[in-house]
Amino acid sequence: MTSLPDTTKPGQKKLGLVIDLDICVGCQACATSCKEWNTQGYSAPLTDENPYGADPVGVWLNRVHAYEVDDGTSTNVVHFPRSCLHCETPACVTVCPTGASYKRAEDGIVLVNPDTCIGCKLCSWACPYGAREYDYQEGVMRKCTLCVDRIYNENLEPEDRQPACVKACPTGARAFGDLGDSESAVSKLVAEREGYDLMPQFDYKPVNKYLPPRTRKDKPTPKAGASLLDVMPEAKTTADRLFRWADRLLSR
Amino acid sequence: MHPAYSVILFTTASGAGYGLLALLAMVAFAHGPASSLAYGLTTTIIALGLITSGLLSSTFHLGHPERAWRAFSQWRTSWLSREGVAAIITYGPAVVFAATWSGLLPWPQFIAPAAAATAVMCLVTVFTTAMIYASLKTIRIWNHWLTIANYLALCLATGGILLSFLTDLFGRGQMFLYGFTAILIALSIAFKLAWWRMADTTPKTLTPADATGLKGKVRQWEVPHTSANYIMKEMGYTVARKHAAKLRRIVLAGFVLAALCLILAGLLPLLSLLFSAVALLSGGLAVVTERWLFFAEAQHAVTLYYGADAA
């Protein structure tokens, strides 16, 4: 049923991810482990077309972008993993004509039933976050399942009962938990680091939160295109540079 | 947005079919039975044929057409489902109307109620089609009441052009019909010009900084793919601006020519069939081009993640 469940009741479970843009290094481990798990689990097969050819196309439920951010004083690169945000009021669910797209009342996970999806693609049109990708070979829509087939899977060890992307992240940039519970570790992390919603203008109320890059305590990195002389006017020898480096390190 | 040919064919063919059926029903409501069985059956069968072929072609772009019946279930929330339901309901009064108005079934007392229900349901169905697009917040230029006005006006205008040609074919061309259709075309042009103005002048308010929540000037640095993915193919399609400008002129020229031909058909009854046939061709070309542009000019918010600087 594509009518949304009532998620306003107190204590409503809202499972989701918290993604720390400060420590993501853009290694793609989350994306590849997502692909690996989901091509054998609930979303299987997560198809690729022409995988070894000149123009390979495939379905990915998680993609890692990188953006250059110029804040006026410095230019930095921010790695930006992007997947379904499991919104509280998602339009992708309500536009679905068949009921294949649905939001679970018990934990808020947004899923597509691949056995009833007609492949009309309207849900992907309704999503501003690009979370849904169409599987041309299977003729159905695919999306992040929050590894629903891992997190409740009693065949796995308790510590493995979390999404594949979270397990795979080598820097701990991804956390999984109940964002409906203000006492949960993820909720505390969001409160502490001022986690935010992507494009709140759409009012779809994403559950997943993003933690902003921290303000740098050392000297700002030079803006792109700045002259080397502007950066280190007095560093002329290797020793000078070594002292500059030590100075930067100690002044953190 | 990627202009899927099946969707262009569906919305233009069924749009003209619903417009034709609605106009026939309005005429029947006012004037009673069709002038002949052949005329009544030909016009209503063409209208229902266009609607049906349009509906069938809309299933061609589905990944699983055999599951299309499931789309009737979610009318509580989904405009696409409502469109399917409205389209099916319309067949009820439409078949009764076609059979009684043409004289196939000798029950003239049913003509008026069936005609009224048919006209209303035709417009309701086109309205639900327009709402599929107008309700999408992710596509700025679709999410506007002018989208609905455009779909309704174009459905009646193309239906009128078709009706003018068909009445001419039966030697029953009427000045009133030509004039009325020309007015519908003028109305369509006015709404289309207003829609284009809205599309060109409403500011793009979202930036990559909004999409990512990052503070500062945000620019795509590294892409998350090795070749164009589904999102880029489906949502990333936008027609080059200079082509859009040319195609807009083709749309305008096609509709203006159609309106002029219909006026000439009224003024020169001897050549009316020729003029209404030209009107049909140029109106048809214009509406298909218009529908292609409707998709190709639309920019989706997700493009912000893929290098667009505003949406």
Side-chain angles (χ1 to χ4, degrees):
Chain A
M1 185 53 76
T2 54
S3 300
L4 293 171
D6 176 21
T7 52
T8 53
K9 52 188 180 291
Q12 168 69 41
K13 207 171 176 186
K14 296 174 192 167
L15 294 185
L17 299 172
V18 175
I19 294 166
D20 190 342
L21 298 177
D22 192 63
I23 49 179
C24 174
V25 293
C27 70
Q28 310 277 339
C30 57
T32 46
S33 65
C34 166
K35 179 84 175 175
E36 184 195 21
W37 177 263
N38 283 297
T39 200
Q40 55 189 324
Y42 179 92
S43 297
L46 209 56
T47 56
D48 290 312
E49 282 179 60
N50 200 15
Y52 302 103
D55 189 28
V57 182
V59 185
W60 291 72
L61 311 182
N62 180 19
R63 289 184 185 265
V64 185
H65 298 248
Y67 296 99
E68 180 192 81
V69 184
D70 179 353
D71 64 6
T73 53
S74 67
T75 306
N76 293 298
V77 165
V78 175
H79 300 284
F80 189 90
R82 184 181 51 76
S83 58
C84 174
L85 308 172
H86 297 279
C87 298
E88 284 182 56
T89 53
C92 61
V93 167
T94 52
V95 300
C96 176
T98 67
S101 217
Y102 62 105
K103 184 169 176 70
R104 285 161 48 116
E106 62 268 40
D107 52 18
I109 299 179
V110 177
L111 290 175
V112 177
N113 180 349
D115 296 327
T116 55
C117 173
I118 58 173
C120 72
K121 310 188 188 87
L122 188 57
C123 55
S124 66
W125 292 12
C127 174
Y129 306 109
R132 290 171 172 247
E133 297 200 5
Y134 184 66
D135 187 331
Y136 290 98
Q137 283 185 33
E138 297 295 309
V140 294
M141 195 56 73
R142 304 291 192 193
K143 67 176 295 302
C144 163
T145 65
L146 212 58
C147 282
V148 68
D149 46 2
R150 285 182 68 95
I151 58 176
Y152 298 112
N153 191 337
E154 294 185 355
N155 295 319
L156 299 178
E157 296 299 324
E159 64 270 27
D160 287 332
R161 290 177 204 163
Q162 44 182 326
C165 58
V166 175
K167 278 293 288 181
C169 180
T171 63
R174 304 175 75 91
F176 163 70
D178 180 6
L179 287 144
D181 172 7
S182 59
E183 292 305 306
S184 70
V186 281
S187 294
K188 284 178 178 165
L189 190 60
V190 169
E192 180 199 331
R193 292 279 308 282
E194 295 178 340
Y196 60 86
D197 290 347
L198 296 186
M199 291 198 276
Q201 296 90 334
F202 283 100
D203 203 29
Y204 297 145
K205 301 190 179 69
V207 169
N208 283 15
K209 300 285 182 265
Y210 282 77
L211 306 182
R214 290 183 175 90
T215 315
R216 292 182 70 115
K217 291 196 183 104
D218 60 344
K219 264 188 150 178
T221 17
K223 286 186 66 163
S227 155
L228 195 61
L229 288 173
D230 299 340
V231 188
M232 292 193 282
E234 70 263 46
K236 300 224 165 54
T237 65
T238 312
D240 282 346
R241 291 200 191 94
L242 189 66
F243 285 126
R244 295 279 303 178
W245 173 74
D247 175 50
R248 272 212 333 255
L249 198 68
L250 293 170
S251 54
R252 280 194 184 197
Chain B
M1 298 296 292
H2 171 71
Y5 297 122
S6 60
V7 175
I8 292 173
L9 193 65
F10 159 62
T11 57
T12 53
S14 71
Y18 282 121
L20 174 59
L21 195 59
L23 291 174
L24 288 172
M26 289 177 204
V27 170
F29 189 80
H31 298 294
S35 49
S36 74
L37 180 67
Y39 175 68
L41 280 183
T42 309
T43 49
T44 49
I45 285 174
I46 286 177
L48 287 168
L50 278 170
I51 291 166
T52 309
S53 61
L55 288 173
L56 287 177
S57 91
S58 77
T59 64
F60 293 161
H61 83 293
L62 297 179
H64 283 277
E66 80 284 3
R67 299 178 185 166
W69 59 273
R70 291 182 184 276
F72 300 121
S73 65
Q74 303 303 312
W75 49 270
R76 286 180 193 83
T77 62
S78 166
W79 281 105
L80 178 53
S81 184
R82 287 170 193 165
E83 181 197 42
V85 171
I88 293 300
I89 291 176
T90 306
Y91 279 105
V95 169
V96 176
F97 160 68
T100 54
W101 176 64
S102 65
L104 195 65
L105 293 178
W107 301 325
Q109 69 275 26
F110 287 129
I111 295 177
T118 301
V120 169
M121 279 314 297
C122 285
L123 296 178
V124 166
T125 308
V126 175
F127 173 77
T128 58
T129 305
M131 278 307 289
I132 294 172
Y133 306 106
S135 66
L136 290 175
K137 285 197 272 182
T138 45
I139 298 161
R140 182 180 54 87
I141 63 173
W142 288 359
N143 190 17
H144 198 278
W145 67 269
L146 276 170
T147 299
I148 303 162
N150 258 288
Y151 266 78
L152 286 170
L154 278 171
C155 128
L156 288 173
T158 50
I161 295 172
L162 201 54
L163 183 57
S164 301
F165 173 72
L166 290 173
T167 47
D168 255 329
L169 214 53
F170 280 83
R172 295 195 180 84
Q174 282 176 18
M175 190 60 207
F176 174 78
L177 181 60
Y178 300 132
F180 186 65
T181 305
I183 291 168
L184 288 174
I185 295 172
L187 195 67
S188 299
I189 292 174
F191 279 134
K192 196 70 232 182
L193 286 173
W195 192 86
W196 281 330
R197 196 182 145 74
M198 174 275 294
D200 293 345
T201 55
T202 49
K204 297 181 173 185
T205 52
L206 291 168
T207 64
D210 291 310
T212 58
L214 296 167
K215 303 276 189 301
K217 194 168 160 20
V218 176
R219 195 169 67 92
Q220 179 169 255
W221 184 73
E222 192 174 46
V223 296
H225 48 81
T226 49
S227 67
N229 63 33
Y230 163 72
I231 297 286
M232 298 162 75
K233 288 177 183 174
E234 181 80 2
M235 259 67 86
Y237 188 101
T238 42
V239 65
R241 218 176 156 69
K242 59 176 183 178
H243 296 308
K246 268 184 208 153
L247 290 167
R248 284 182 181 186
R249 285 199 286 276
I250 290 176
V251 173
L252 282 181
F255 283 131
V256 169
L257 180 64
L260 285 177
C261 282
L262 289 177
I263 291 165
L264 285 173
L267 295 176
L268 304 166
L270 280 178
L271 293 171
S272 66
L273 184 59
L274 174 73
F275 282 122
S276 62
V278 175
L280 184 63
L281 287 177
S282 73
L285 174 75
V287 76
V288 171
T289 313
E290 183 274 339
R291 208 49 49 87
W292 189 87
L293 266 181
F294 177 75
F295 288 93
E297 285 196 279
Q299 190 201 356
H300 195 286
V302 75
T303 53
L304 292 170
Y305 292 107
Y306 284 93
D309 53 6

